[in-house]
Amino acid sequence: MARHKKEKGICRLCGNEGELTYEHVPPRKTYNKNTKFKVHNFLEFVKSKDIVNNPPKGKPKQGGIGFNTLCSNCNSFLGSNYVNEYSKFVSDLYENIYNQKFTYIEYELLNQSPLKILKAIISMFIAINDTWYLEEYPELSEFVLNPESKELDEKFRVFSYITNYNQVRYSPHTIINSSIFKGEIVNCSEIAYPPYGYLLTVDYKGDIDILNEITVFKKFELNRLINMPFQMNNLPVYSPFIVDYRTKEEIDIHIRKSKKTANN
């Protein structure tokens, strides 16, 4: 097991200053404990002339992907309150779809705790963002730190999708104009780690046709277990760019067209 150094700083969840421990994102129990995936420097991707056939090498994260952004108390709090439920949410799907090829799937997960799952997902977004995120959106931390709370402001919406392409993406808060938002400029953040990807939007009221909204998870009682039917798209995350779900072939075509235009 890899040892992760502690760092000094401000905890993204409680706001206290002190030693920050290594927070696995997603939790270590959800297949995030080895060096299967690599983290890439965003600028290296931008500079790359062909991210499909010649991508940046990236660096393996010993012991799983994570960030020194939470204090030990908050790290333990998440582990004792939400991680087991989130792990079940992931593992019950992962075992059935790993290495399978499909673009869309309908399935049902049994005996799930929606509110705990949503709080775990929100905590991951808090962990990947900078300290200003806590100052700007304290409602997110308040929602996570109070297990019983179902109060999550309507300006926050969480969407999900399946991704089993053995690729990951971590996108802190970004302001973007994408076709999936139907021309709107949207504040959002994204995490993709098989088998799920998540998008957190702020002040967006439109639909996202290819994603599945799970914000409704906030309406359930903390310890209520339900069966959860889903219909989700399986989306690739080959590029580092937020909400970019192009296939390798689509990216390759775009690269070749760009090169052709540049040479004319």
Side-chain angles (χ1 to χ4, degrees), residues 94 168 202 256:
Y94 188 87
V168 299
V202 183
R256 285 190 279 111

Side-chain angles (χ1 to χ4, degrees), residues 221-241:
E221 297 297 331
L222 183 68
N223 294 310
R224 182 180 176 187
L225 300 179
I226 67 168
N227 297 341
M228 299 166 60
F230 285 104
Q231 305 86 37
M232 285 201 202
N233 291 313
N234 186 15
L235 303 176
V237 290
Y238 288 111
S239 91
F241 304 110

Side-chain angles (χ1 to χ4, degrees), residues 57-189:
K57 293 182 179 180
K59 295 181 180 180
K61 297 284 282 188
Q62 297 292 336
I65 299 175
F67 306 85
N68 285 85
T69 52
L70 301 185
C71 67
S72 60
N73 287 339
C74 285
N75 204 326
S76 298
F77 171 83
L78 296 176
S80 61
N81 284 279
Y82 310 130
V83 168
N84 285 340
E85 287 73 14
Y86 181 75
S87 177
K88 186 176 186 302
F89 177 66
V90 170
S91 60
D92 284 2
L93 172 67
Y94 188 87
E95 300 296 338
N96 293 316
I97 69 164
Y98 183 67
N99 279 342
Q100 291 189 31
K101 291 184 178 180
F102 61 93
T103 57
Y104 171 84
I105 188 173
E106 296 183 8
Y107 62 100
E108 184 176 28
L109 298 180
L110 306 178
N111 298 318
Q112 304 290 318
S113 175
L115 184 59
K116 292 182 180 180
I117 292 167
L118 182 62
K119 288 177 186 287
I121 294 169
I122 296 292
S123 74
M124 291 191 283
F125 282 108
I126 291 171
I128 73 166
N129 277 281
D130 213 335
T131 52
W132 71 267
Y133 205 69
L134 173 61
E135 298 174 4
E136 185 71 19
Y137 305 120
E139 309 100 311
L140 293 176
S141 294
E142 292 166 3
F143 174 70
V144 171
L145 286 173
N146 182 354
E148 299 287 344
S149 175
K150 297 190 290 183
E151 299 299 321
L152 182 64
D153 195 287
E154 291 185 357
K155 69 182 178 182
F156 301 111
R157 298 173 68 191
V158 180
F159 299 83
S160 65
Y161 56 94
I162 289 174
T163 182
N164 71 343
Y165 288 81
N166 289 333
Q167 300 288 328
V168 299
R169 179 155 67 207
Y170 293 80
S171 300
H173 188 84
T174 305
I175 300 175
I176 187 171
N177 183 348
S178 168
S179 59
I180 75 164
F181 299 128
K182 300 176 175 59
E184 286 191 45
I185 298 175
V186 176
N187 299 331
C188 54
S189 186

